[in-house]
Amino acid sequence: MSTTSLKLPDDLKARAADLAKAQHLSPHAYMVEAIRRATEQDALHQQFVEDSIEARQHARDSGQGYAANQVHDYILNKARGGKASRPKPQSWRK
Protein backbone atom coordinates (compact mmCIF):
# COMPACT_ATOMS: atom_id res chain seq x y z
CA MET A 1 0.00 0.00 0.00
CA SER A 2 1.37 3.40 -0.90
CA THR A 3 1.35 6.54 1.20
CA THR A 4 -0.23 9.80 0.06
CA SER A 5 -0.29 13.12 1.84
CA LEU A 6 -3.32 15.38 1.68
CA LYS A 7 -3.31 19.04 2.53
CA LEU A 8 -6.79 19.82 3.80
CA PRO A 9 -8.31 23.13 4.82
CA ASP A 10 -8.57 23.25 8.62
CA ASP A 11 -12.37 23.37 8.58
CA LEU A 12 -12.63 20.29 6.33
CA LYS A 13 -10.13 18.37 8.43
CA ALA A 14 -12.09 19.22 11.59
CA ARG A 15 -15.41 18.18 10.03
CA ALA A 16 -13.92 14.90 8.81
CA ALA A 17 -12.47 14.22 12.25
CA ASP A 18 -15.82 14.92 13.93
CA LEU A 19 -17.71 12.67 11.54
CA ALA A 20 -15.09 9.94 11.86
CA LYS A 21 -15.38 10.04 15.64
CA ALA A 22 -19.18 9.80 15.43
CA GLN A 23 -18.76 6.64 13.32
CA HIS A 24 -16.11 5.21 15.62
CA LEU A 25 -13.47 5.47 12.90
CA SER A 26 -10.07 7.07 12.78
CA PRO A 27 -9.88 10.18 10.59
CA HIS A 28 -7.60 8.18 8.28
CA ALA A 29 -10.11 5.32 7.89
CA TYR A 30 -12.91 7.83 7.34
CA MET A 31 -10.99 9.61 4.55
CA VAL A 32 -9.97 6.34 2.88
CA GLU A 33 -13.61 5.23 2.84
CA ALA A 34 -14.74 8.62 1.51
CA ILE A 35 -12.23 8.41 -1.33
CA ARG A 36 -13.26 4.81 -2.08
CA ARG A 37 -16.95 5.80 -2.26
CA ALA A 38 -16.20 8.83 -4.45
CA THR A 39 -14.05 6.71 -6.77
CA GLU A 40 -16.78 4.08 -7.15
CA GLN A 41 -19.43 6.74 -7.74
CA ASP A 42 -17.29 8.51 -10.34
CA ALA A 43 -16.62 5.21 -12.14
CA LEU A 44 -20.35 4.46 -12.25
CA HIS A 45 -21.05 7.95 -13.58
CA GLN A 46 -18.38 7.58 -16.24
CA GLN A 47 -19.84 4.23 -17.34
CA PHE A 48 -23.34 5.77 -17.42
CA VAL A 49 -22.12 8.56 -19.70
CA GLU A 50 -20.32 6.12 -22.00
CA ASP A 51 -23.39 3.87 -22.18
CA SER A 52 -25.60 6.89 -22.90
CA ILE A 53 -23.39 8.06 -25.75
CA GLU A 54 -23.39 4.54 -27.22
CA ALA A 55 -27.19 4.25 -26.90
CA ARG A 56 -27.69 7.65 -28.53
CA GLN A 57 -25.48 6.66 -31.44
CA HIS A 58 -27.34 3.35 -31.79
CA ALA A 59 -30.67 5.22 -31.87
CA ARG A 60 -29.36 7.57 -34.53
CA ASP A 61 -27.93 4.75 -36.63
CA SER A 62 -30.97 2.48 -36.35
CA GLY A 63 -33.71 5.10 -36.38
CA GLN A 64 -35.42 3.10 -33.61
CA GLY A 65 -36.65 4.32 -30.26
CA TYR A 66 -39.31 3.77 -27.61
CA ALA A 67 -42.45 5.75 -26.81
CA ALA A 68 -41.91 7.44 -23.46
CA ASN A 69 -45.40 6.66 -22.16
CA GLN A 70 -44.90 2.94 -22.89
CA VAL A 71 -41.54 2.95 -21.12
CA HIS A 72 -43.04 4.74 -18.10
CA ASP A 73 -45.92 2.26 -17.90
CA TYR A 74 -43.48 -0.65 -18.17
CA ILE A 75 -41.27 0.68 -15.36
CA LEU A 76 -44.24 1.42 -13.08
CA ASN A 77 -45.72 -2.05 -13.61
CA LYS A 78 -42.35 -3.72 -12.93
CA ALA A 79 -41.79 -1.58 -9.82
CA ARG A 80 -45.21 -2.58 -8.49
CA GLY A 81 -44.40 -6.26 -9.04
CA GLY A 82 -46.89 -6.64 -11.85
CA LYS A 83 -46.45 -8.32 -15.18
CA ALA A 84 -45.25 -6.03 -17.88
CA SER A 85 -44.48 -6.51 -21.54
CA ARG A 86 -41.39 -4.79 -22.78
CA PRO A 87 -42.15 -1.88 -25.09
CA LYS A 88 -41.48 -2.52 -28.75
CA PRO A 89 -39.01 -0.28 -30.59
CA GLN A 90 -40.56 2.04 -33.13
CA SER A 91 -39.13 3.93 -36.05
CA TRP A 92 -38.96 7.62 -35.33
CA ARG A 93 -37.81 8.56 -38.80
CA LYS A 94 -40.39 9.69 -41.31
Side-chain angles (χ1 to χ4, degrees):
M1 187 178 302
S2 63
T3 301
T4 301
S5 295
L6 290 174
K7 293 183 181 182
L8 300 174
D10 291 338
D11 62 323
L12 179 57
K13 185 176 179 181
R15 287 179 62 204
D18 289 344
L19 291 167
K21 186 176 181 179
Q23 295 180 31
H24 306 289
L25 296 172
S26 68
H28 172 81
Y30 180 84
M31 287 186 265
V32 168
E33 179 60 20
I35 292 169
R36 185 195 61 73
R37 281 193 315 264
T39 302
E40 287 179 6
Q41 184 177 7
D42 287 350
L44 286 171
H45 181 264
Q46 182 178 354
Q47 187 63 55
F48 175 79
V49 170
E50 290 170 5
D51 291 348
S52 298
I53 291 168
E54 186 179 326
R56 181 178 187 212
Q57 190 60 50
H58 176 71
R60 285 183 168 178
D61 292 345
S62 70
Q64 297 286 302
Y66 297 89
N69 63 329
Q70 292 177 6
V71 172
H72 295 164
D73 290 344
Y74 172 76
I75 292 170
L76 285 172
N77 285 333
K78 292 294 274 186
R80 292 178 180 145
K83 291 188 176 187
S85 298
R86 288 182 143 216
K88 302 273 189 246
Q90 303 170 7
S91 178
W92 50 267
R93 290 188 180 138
K94 301 269 177 177

PDB file of all heavy atoms in Angstrom, residues 13-45:
ATOM      1  N   LYS A  13     -10.795  19.367   7.583  1.00  0.00           N
ATOM      2  CA  LYS A  13     -10.129  18.373   8.428  1.00  0.00           C
ATOM      3  C   LYS A  13     -10.883  18.190   9.742  1.00  0.00           C
ATOM      4  O   LYS A  13     -11.100  17.056  10.201  1.00  0.00           O
ATOM      5  CB  LYS A  13      -8.690  18.784   8.703  1.00  0.00           C
ATOM      6  CG  LYS A  13      -7.905  17.754   9.478  1.00  0.00           C
ATOM      7  CD  LYS A  13      -6.459  18.179   9.646  1.00  0.00           C
ATOM      8  CE  LYS A  13      -5.700  17.146  10.458  1.00  0.00           C
ATOM      9  NZ  LYS A  13      -4.301  17.527  10.667  1.00  0.00           N
ATOM     10  N   ALA A  14     -11.344  19.288  10.331  1.00  0.00           N
ATOM     11  CA  ALA A  14     -12.093  19.216  11.592  1.00  0.00           C
ATOM     12  C   ALA A  14     -13.437  18.518  11.390  1.00  0.00           C
ATOM     13  O   ALA A  14     -13.843  17.688  12.215  1.00  0.00           O
ATOM     14  CB  ALA A  14     -12.294  20.620  12.163  1.00  0.00           C
ATOM     15  N   ARG A  15     -14.124  18.830  10.314  1.00  0.00           N
ATOM     16  CA  ARG A  15     -15.409  18.177  10.031  1.00  0.00           C
ATOM     17  C   ARG A  15     -15.226  16.690   9.814  1.00  0.00           C
ATOM     18  O   ARG A  15     -16.001  15.873  10.326  1.00  0.00           O
ATOM     19  CB  ARG A  15     -16.073  18.802   8.806  1.00  0.00           C
ATOM     20  CG  ARG A  15     -16.645  20.187   9.070  1.00  0.00           C
ATOM     21  CD  ARG A  15     -17.273  20.796   7.840  1.00  0.00           C
ATOM     22  NE  ARG A  15     -18.389  19.985   7.384  1.00  0.00           N
ATOM     23  CZ  ARG A  15     -18.840  19.980   6.130  1.00  0.00           C
ATOM     24  NH1 ARG A  15     -18.283  20.721   5.213  1.00  0.00           N
ATOM     25  NH2 ARG A  15     -19.850  19.219   5.797  1.00  0.00           N
ATOM     26  N   ALA A  16     -14.194  16.315   9.054  1.00  0.00           N
ATOM     27  CA  ALA A  16     -13.924  14.898   8.807  1.00  0.00           C
ATOM     28  C   ALA A  16     -13.601  14.189  10.120  1.00  0.00           C
ATOM     29  O   ALA A  16     -14.078  13.073  10.363  1.00  0.00           O
ATOM     30  CB  ALA A  16     -12.786  14.738   7.810  1.00  0.00           C
ATOM     31  N   ALA A  17     -12.820  14.829  10.968  1.00  0.00           N
ATOM     32  CA  ALA A  17     -12.469  14.222  12.254  1.00  0.00           C
ATOM     33  C   ALA A  17     -13.703  14.033  13.128  1.00  0.00           C
ATOM     34  O   ALA A  17     -13.864  12.987  13.776  1.00  0.00           O
ATOM     35  CB  ALA A  17     -11.428  15.075  12.975  1.00  0.00           C
ATOM     36  N   ASP A  18     -14.582  15.028  13.143  1.00  0.00           N
ATOM     37  CA  ASP A  18     -15.821  14.918  13.934  1.00  0.00           C
ATOM     38  C   ASP A  18     -16.711  13.790  13.428  1.00  0.00           C
ATOM     39  O   ASP A  18     -17.257  13.007  14.214  1.00  0.00           O
ATOM     40  CB  ASP A  18     -16.594  16.239  13.917  1.00  0.00           C
ATOM     41  CG  ASP A  18     -15.918  17.344  14.717  1.00  0.00           C
ATOM     42  OD1 ASP A  18     -15.016  17.037  15.534  1.00  0.00           O
ATOM     43  OD2 ASP A  18     -16.287  18.518  14.513  1.00  0.00           O
ATOM     44  N   LEU A  19     -16.869  13.716  12.120  1.00  0.00           N
ATOM     45  CA  LEU A  19     -17.706  12.665  11.540  1.00  0.00           C
ATOM     46  C   LEU A  19     -17.085  11.286  11.734  1.00  0.00           C
ATOM     47  O   LEU A  19     -17.796  10.307  11.990  1.00  0.00           O
ATOM     48  CB  LEU A  19     -17.958  12.945  10.059  1.00  0.00           C
ATOM     49  CG  LEU A  19     -18.856  14.153   9.790  1.00  0.00           C
ATOM     50  CD1 LEU A  19     -18.788  14.560   8.318  1.00  0.00           C
ATOM     51  CD2 LEU A  19     -20.278  13.864  10.212  1.00  0.00           C
ATOM     52  N   ALA A  20     -15.780  11.212  11.631  1.00  0.00           N
ATOM     53  CA  ALA A  20     -15.090   9.939  11.860  1.00  0.00           C
ATOM     54  C   ALA A  20     -15.322   9.470  13.287  1.00  0.00           C
ATOM     55  O   ALA A  20     -15.635   8.299  13.530  1.00  0.00           O
ATOM     56  CB  ALA A  20     -13.594  10.106  11.594  1.00  0.00           C
ATOM     57  N   LYS A  21     -15.181  10.390  14.230  1.00  0.00           N
ATOM     58  CA  LYS A  21     -15.377  10.043  15.645  1.00  0.00           C
ATOM     59  C   LYS A  21     -16.800   9.542  15.885  1.00  0.00           C
ATOM     60  O   LYS A  21     -17.008   8.554  16.600  1.00  0.00           O
ATOM     61  CB  LYS A  21     -15.088  11.266  16.518  1.00  0.00           C
ATOM     62  CG  LYS A  21     -15.129  10.970  17.992  1.00  0.00           C
ATOM     63  CD  LYS A  21     -14.738  12.208  18.794  1.00  0.00           C
ATOM     64  CE  LYS A  21     -14.766  11.894  20.280  1.00  0.00           C
ATOM     65  NZ  LYS A  21     -14.372  13.063  21.078  1.00  0.00           N
ATOM     66  N   ALA A  22     -17.786  10.204  15.267  1.00  0.00           N
ATOM     67  CA  ALA A  22     -19.183   9.803  15.432  1.00  0.00           C
ATOM     68  C   ALA A  22     -19.429   8.394  14.889  1.00  0.00           C
ATOM     69  O   ALA A  22     -20.334   7.698  15.351  1.00  0.00           O
ATOM     70  CB  ALA A  22     -20.104  10.808  14.744  1.00  0.00           C
ATOM     71  N   GLN A  23     -18.620   7.978  13.918  1.00  0.00           N
ATOM     72  CA  GLN A  23     -18.761   6.644  13.324  1.00  0.00           C
ATOM     73  C   GLN A  23     -17.760   5.649  13.909  1.00  0.00           C
ATOM     74  O   GLN A  23     -17.604   4.543  13.391  1.00  0.00           O
ATOM     75  CB  GLN A  23     -18.587   6.738  11.804  1.00  0.00           C
ATOM     76  CG  GLN A  23     -19.677   7.545  11.132  1.00  0.00           C
ATOM     77  CD  GLN A  23     -19.487   7.617   9.630  1.00  0.00           C
ATOM     78  OE1 GLN A  23     -18.959   6.701   9.005  1.00  0.00           O
ATOM     79  NE2 GLN A  23     -19.926   8.703   9.030  1.00  0.00           N
ATOM     80  N   HIS A  24     -17.101   6.066  14.949  1.00  0.00           N
ATOM     81  CA  HIS A  24     -16.115   5.211  15.622  1.00  0.00           C
ATOM     82  C   HIS A  24     -14.999   4.777  14.674  1.00  0.00           C
ATOM     83  O   HIS A  24     -14.558   3.634  14.696  1.00  0.00           O
ATOM     84  CB  HIS A  24     -16.768   3.998  16.283  1.00  0.00           C
ATOM     85  CG  HIS A  24     -17.882   4.363  17.205  1.00  0.00           C
ATOM     86  ND1 HIS A  24     -17.673   4.983  18.411  1.00  0.00           N
ATOM     87  CD2 HIS A  24     -19.222   4.228  17.083  1.00  0.00           C
ATOM     88  CE1 HIS A  24     -18.833   5.206  19.002  1.00  0.00           C
ATOM     89  NE2 HIS A  24     -19.788   4.754  18.209  1.00  0.00           N
ATOM     90  N   LEU A  25     -14.562   5.710  13.842  1.00  0.00           N
ATOM     91  CA  LEU A  25     -13.470   5.474  12.902  1.00  0.00           C
ATOM     92  C   LEU A  25     -12.353   6.466  13.169  1.00  0.00           C
ATOM     93  O   LEU A  25     -12.589   7.552  13.695  1.00  0.00           O
ATOM     94  CB  LEU A  25     -13.938   5.676  11.450  1.00  0.00           C
ATOM     95  CG  LEU A  25     -15.007   4.744  10.908  1.00  0.00           C
ATOM     96  CD1 LEU A  25     -15.479   5.234   9.537  1.00  0.00           C
ATOM     97  CD2 LEU A  25     -14.458   3.327  10.797  1.00  0.00           C
ATOM     98  N   SER A  26     -11.165   6.102  12.754  1.00  0.00           N
ATOM     99  CA  SER A  26     -10.074   7.075  12.781  1.00  0.00           C
ATOM    100  C   SER A  26     -10.287   8.053  11.627  1.00  0.00           C
ATOM    101  O   SER A  26     -10.946   7.703  10.624  1.00  0.00           O
ATOM    102  CB  SER A  26      -8.729   6.367  12.622  1.00  0.00           C
ATOM    103  OG  SER A  26      -8.607   5.835  11.319  1.00  0.00           O
ATOM    104  N   PRO A  27      -9.764   9.256  11.727  1.00  0.00           N
ATOM    105  CA  PRO A  27      -9.876  10.176  10.595  1.00  0.00           C
ATOM    106  C   PRO A  27      -9.297   9.572   9.311  1.00  0.00           C
ATOM    107  O   PRO A  27      -9.861   9.751   8.229  1.00  0.00           O
ATOM    108  CB  PRO A  27      -9.085  11.409  11.045  1.00  0.00           C
ATOM    109  CG  PRO A  27      -9.218  11.389  12.538  1.00  0.00           C
ATOM    110  CD  PRO A  27      -9.170   9.925  12.898  1.00  0.00           C
ATOM    111  N   HIS A  28      -8.199   8.828   9.445  1.00  0.00           N
ATOM    112  CA  HIS A  28      -7.599   8.182   8.280  1.00  0.00           C
ATOM    113  C   HIS A  28      -8.579   7.196   7.636  1.00  0.00           C
ATOM    114  O   HIS A  28      -8.797   7.227   6.414  1.00  0.00           O
ATOM    115  CB  HIS A  28      -6.315   7.446   8.691  1.00  0.00           C
ATOM    116  CG  HIS A  28      -5.750   6.607   7.589  1.00  0.00           C
ATOM    117  ND1 HIS A  28      -4.988   7.115   6.579  1.00  0.00           N
ATOM    118  CD2 HIS A  28      -5.871   5.274   7.340  1.00  0.00           C
ATOM    119  CE1 HIS A  28      -4.650   6.136   5.749  1.00  0.00           C
ATOM    120  NE2 HIS A  28      -5.168   5.008   6.191  1.00  0.00           N
ATOM    121  N   ALA A  29      -9.165   6.313   8.422  1.00  0.00           N
ATOM    122  CA  ALA A  29     -10.109   5.320   7.887  1.00  0.00           C
ATOM    123  C   ALA A  29     -11.312   6.012   7.254  1.00  0.00           C
ATOM    124  O   ALA A  29     -11.806   5.578   6.205  1.00  0.00           O
ATOM    125  CB  ALA A  29     -10.553   4.373   8.997  1.00  0.00           C
ATOM    126  N   TYR A  30     -11.777   7.078   7.872  1.00  0.00           N
ATOM    127  CA  TYR A  30     -12.914   7.834   7.337  1.00  0.00           C
ATOM    128  C   TYR A  30     -12.573   8.405   5.952  1.00  0.00           C
ATOM    129  O   TYR A  30     -13.359   8.295   5.014  1.00  0.00           O
ATOM    130  CB  TYR A  30     -13.297   8.957   8.299  1.00  0.00           C
ATOM    131  CG  TYR A  30     -14.447   9.784   7.822  1.00  0.00           C
ATOM    132  CD1 TYR A  30     -15.764   9.382   8.041  1.00  0.00           C
ATOM    133  CD2 TYR A  30     -14.239  10.980   7.137  1.00  0.00           C
ATOM    134  CE1 TYR A  30     -16.830  10.151   7.588  1.00  0.00           C
ATOM    135  CE2 TYR A  30     -15.296  11.742   6.688  1.00  0.00           C
ATOM    136  CZ  TYR A  30     -16.587  11.327   6.918  1.00  0.00           C
ATOM    137  OH  TYR A  30     -17.639  12.079   6.461  1.00  0.00           O
ATOM    138  N   MET A  31     -11.381   8.999   5.822  1.00  0.00           N
ATOM    139  CA  MET A  31     -10.989   9.606   4.552  1.00  0.00           C
ATOM    140  C   MET A  31     -10.756   8.550   3.475  1.00  0.00           C
ATOM    141  O   MET A  31     -11.123   8.749   2.312  1.00  0.00           O
ATOM    142  CB  MET A  31      -9.760  10.482   4.750  1.00  0.00           C
ATOM    143  CG  MET A  31     -10.084  11.779   5.490  1.00  0.00           C
ATOM    144  SD  MET A  31      -8.678  12.886   5.585  1.00  0.00           S
ATOM    145  CE  MET A  31      -8.035  12.449   7.199  1.00  0.00           C
ATOM    146  N   VAL A  32     -10.165   7.417   3.849  1.00  0.00           N
ATOM    147  CA  VAL A  32      -9.966   6.335   2.878  1.00  0.00           C
ATOM    148  C   VAL A  32     -11.319   5.857   2.357  1.00  0.00           C
ATOM    149  O   VAL A  32     -11.510   5.676   1.147  1.00  0.00           O
ATOM    150  CB  VAL A  32      -9.158   5.169   3.495  1.00  0.00           C
ATOM    151  CG1 VAL A  32      -9.194   3.938   2.595  1.00  0.00           C
ATOM    152  CG2 VAL A  32      -7.717   5.596   3.767  1.00  0.00           C
ATOM    153  N   GLU A  33     -12.270   5.672   3.253  1.00  0.00           N
ATOM    154  CA  GLU A  33     -13.606   5.226   2.845  1.00  0.00           C
ATOM    155  C   GLU A  33     -14.295   6.278   1.972  1.00  0.00           C
ATOM    156  O   GLU A  33     -14.960   5.941   0.991  1.00  0.00           O
ATOM    157  CB  GLU A  33     -14.458   4.903   4.074  1.00  0.00           C
ATOM    158  CG  GLU A  33     -15.861   4.455   3.774  1.00  0.00           C
ATOM    159  CD  GLU A  33     -15.949   3.184   2.934  1.00  0.00           C
ATOM    160  OE1 GLU A  33     -14.979   2.416   2.867  1.00  0.00           O
ATOM    161  OE2 GLU A  33     -17.019   2.959   2.319  1.00  0.00           O
ATOM    162  N   ALA A  34     -14.135   7.546   2.312  1.00  0.00           N
ATOM    163  CA  ALA A  34     -14.742   8.617   1.511  1.00  0.00           C
ATOM    164  C   ALA A  34     -14.161   8.636   0.098  1.00  0.00           C
ATOM    165  O   ALA A  34     -14.899   8.791  -0.886  1.00  0.00           O
ATOM    166  CB  ALA A  34     -14.533   9.964   2.197  1.00  0.00           C
ATOM    167  N   ILE A  35     -12.861   8.448  -0.017  1.00  0.00           N
ATOM    168  CA  ILE A  35     -12.225   8.412  -1.335  1.00  0.00           C
ATOM    169  C   ILE A  35     -12.668   7.173  -2.104  1.00  0.00           C
ATOM    170  O   ILE A  35     -12.937   7.239  -3.308  1.00  0.00           O
ATOM    171  CB  ILE A  35     -10.688   8.483  -1.201  1.00  0.00           C
ATOM    172  CG1 ILE A  35     -10.274   9.867  -0.681  1.00  0.00           C
ATOM    173  CG2 ILE A  35     -10.014   8.180  -2.532  1.00  0.00           C
ATOM    174  CD1 ILE A  35      -8.821   9.963  -0.265  1.00  0.00           C
ATOM    175  N   ARG A  36     -12.789   6.029  -1.421  1.00  0.00           N
ATOM    176  CA  ARG A  36     -13.259   4.810  -2.078  1.00  0.00           C
ATOM    177  C   ARG A  36     -14.668   5.002  -2.637  1.00  0.00           C
ATOM    178  O   ARG A  36     -14.952   4.670  -3.789  1.00  0.00           O
ATOM    179  CB  ARG A  36     -13.244   3.619  -1.119  1.00  0.00           C
ATOM    180  CG  ARG A  36     -13.607   2.282  -1.794  1.00  0.00           C
ATOM    181  CD  ARG A  36     -13.939   1.193  -0.811  1.00  0.00           C
ATOM    182  NE  ARG A  36     -15.089   1.509   0.014  1.00  0.00           N
ATOM    183  CZ  ARG A  36     -16.373   1.509  -0.398  1.00  0.00           C
ATOM    184  NH1 ARG A  36     -16.661   1.212  -1.640  1.00  0.00           N
ATOM    185  NH2 ARG A  36     -17.351   1.802   0.412  1.00  0.00           N
ATOM    186  N   ARG A  37     -15.570   5.574  -1.812  1.00  0.00           N
ATOM    187  CA  ARG A  37     -16.947   5.805  -2.264  1.00  0.00           C
ATOM    188  C   ARG A  37     -16.987   6.774  -3.444  1.00  0.00           C
ATOM    189  O   ARG A  37     -17.715   6.542  -4.418  1.00  0.00           O
ATOM    190  CB  ARG A  37     -17.805   6.344  -1.118  1.00  0.00           C
ATOM    191  CG  ARG A  37     -18.265   5.298  -0.140  1.00  0.00           C
ATOM    192  CD  ARG A  37     -19.367   5.811   0.792  1.00  0.00           C
ATOM    193  NE  ARG A  37     -19.117   7.131   1.332  1.00  0.00           N
ATOM    194  CZ  ARG A  37     -18.569   7.400   2.514  1.00  0.00           C
ATOM    195  NH1 ARG A  37     -18.208   6.412   3.301  1.00  0.00           N
ATOM    196  NH2 ARG A  37     -18.380   8.629   2.918  1.00  0.00           N
ATOM    197  N   ALA A  38     -16.216   7.850  -3.364  1.00  0.00           N
ATOM    198  CA  ALA A  38     -16.196   8.828  -4.447  1.00  0.00           C
ATOM    199  C   ALA A  38     -15.657   8.205  -5.730  1.00  0.00           C
ATOM    200  O   ALA A  38     -16.174   8.463  -6.825  1.00  0.00           O
ATOM    201  CB  ALA A  38     -15.363  10.046  -4.040  1.00  0.00           C
ATOM    202  N   THR A  39     -14.636   7.374  -5.605  1.00  0.00           N
ATOM    203  CA  THR A  39     -14.050   6.708  -6.769  1.00  0.00           C
ATOM    204  C   THR A  39     -15.061   5.771  -7.421  1.00  0.00           C
ATOM    205  O   THR A  39     -15.216   5.754  -8.651  1.00  0.00           O
ATOM    206  CB  THR A  39     -12.781   5.941  -6.354  1.00  0.00           C
ATOM    207  OG1 THR A  39     -11.858   6.869  -5.776  1.00  0.00           O
ATOM    208  CG2 THR A  39     -12.130   5.254  -7.532  1.00  0.00           C
ATOM    209  N   GLU A  40     -15.763   4.991  -6.614  1.00  0.00           N
ATOM    210  CA  GLU A  40     -16.781   4.081  -7.153  1.00  0.00           C
ATOM    211  C   GLU A  40     -17.911   4.861  -7.817  1.00  0.00           C
ATOM    212  O   GLU A  40     -18.377   4.491  -8.900  1.00  0.00           O
ATOM    213  CB  GLU A  40     -17.327   3.186  -6.052  1.00  0.00           C
ATOM    214  CG  GLU A  40     -16.352   2.118  -5.620  1.00  0.00           C
ATOM    215  CD  GLU A  40     -16.890   1.231  -4.501  1.00  0.00           C
ATOM    216  OE1 GLU A  40     -18.067   1.371  -4.120  1.00  0.00           O
ATOM    217  OE2 GLU A  40     -16.109   0.384  -4.011  1.00  0.00           O
ATOM    218  N   GLN A  41     -18.352   5.936  -7.183  1.00  0.00           N
ATOM    219  CA  GLN A  41     -19.434   6.745  -7.745  1.00  0.00           C
ATOM    220  C   GLN A  41     -19.003   7.386  -9.066  1.00  0.00           C
ATOM    221  O   GLN A  41     -19.760   7.403 -10.039  1.00  0.00           O
ATOM    222  CB  GLN A  41     -19.868   7.819  -6.752  1.00  0.00           C
ATOM    223  CG  GLN A  41     -21.050   8.625  -7.222  1.00  0.00           C
ATOM    224  CD  GLN A  41     -21.509   9.625  -6.181  1.00  0.00           C
ATOM    225  OE1 GLN A  41     -20.882   9.811  -5.146  1.00  0.00           O
ATOM    226  NE2 GLN A  41     -22.602  10.276  -6.461  1.00  0.00           N
ATOM    227  N   ASP A  42     -17.782   7.901  -9.112  1.00  0.00           N
ATOM    228  CA  ASP A  42     -17.286   8.511 -10.343  1.00  0.00           C
ATOM    229  C   ASP A  42     -17.152   7.478 -11.464  1.00  0.00           C
ATOM    230  O   ASP A  42     -17.444   7.785 -12.622  1.00  0.00           O
ATOM    231  CB  ASP A  42     -15.945   9.200 -10.103  1.00  0.00           C
ATOM    232  CG  ASP A  42     -16.083  10.493  -9.304  1.00  0.00           C
ATOM    233  OD1 ASP A  42     -17.223  10.958  -9.093  1.00  0.00           O
ATOM    234  OD2 ASP A  42     -15.035  11.018  -8.867  1.00  0.00           O
ATOM    235  N   ALA A  43     -16.724   6.262 -11.133  1.00  0.00           N
ATOM    236  CA  ALA A  43     -16.617   5.205 -12.140  1.00  0.00           C
ATOM    237  C   ALA A  43     -17.990   4.839 -12.683  1.00  0.00           C
ATOM    238  O   ALA A  43     -18.159   4.644 -13.896  1.00  0.00           O
ATOM    239  CB  ALA A  43     -15.918   3.975 -11.560  1.00  0.00           C
ATOM    240  N   LEU A  44     -18.983   4.750 -11.802  1.00  0.00           N
ATOM    241  CA  LEU A  44     -20.350   4.459 -12.250  1.00  0.00           C
ATOM    242  C   LEU A  44     -20.874   5.571 -13.143  1.00  0.00           C
ATOM    243  O   LEU A  44     -21.518   5.315 -14.169  1.00  0.00           O
ATOM    244  CB  LEU A  44     -21.281   4.266 -11.050  1.00  0.00           C
ATOM    245  CG  LEU A  44     -21.122   2.963 -10.279  1.00  0.00           C
ATOM    246  CD1 LEU A  44     -21.948   3.009  -8.992  1.00  0.00           C
ATOM    247  CD2 LEU A  44     -21.538   1.781 -11.131  1.00  0.00           C
ATOM    248  N   HIS A  45     -20.607   6.811 -12.773  1.00  0.00           N
ATOM    249  CA  HIS A  45     -21.054   7.952 -13.579  1.00  0.00           C
ATOM    250  C   HIS A  45     -20.387   7.928 -14.948  1.00  0.00           C
ATOM    251  O   HIS A  45     -21.049   8.135 -15.977  1.00  0.00           O
ATOM    252  CB  HIS A  45     -20.746   9.268 -12.857  1.00  0.00           C
ATOM    253  CG  HIS A  45     -21.211  10.460 -13.622  1.00  0.00           C
ATOM    254  ND1 HIS A  45     -20.378  11.178 -14.440  1.00  0.00           N
ATOM    255  CD2 HIS A  45     -22.437  11.045 -13.710  1.00  0.00           C
ATOM    256  CE1 HIS A  45     -21.059  12.155 -15.002  1.00  0.00           C
ATOM    257  NE2 HIS A  45     -22.312  12.101 -14.575  1.00  0.00           N
TER     258      HIS A  45
END
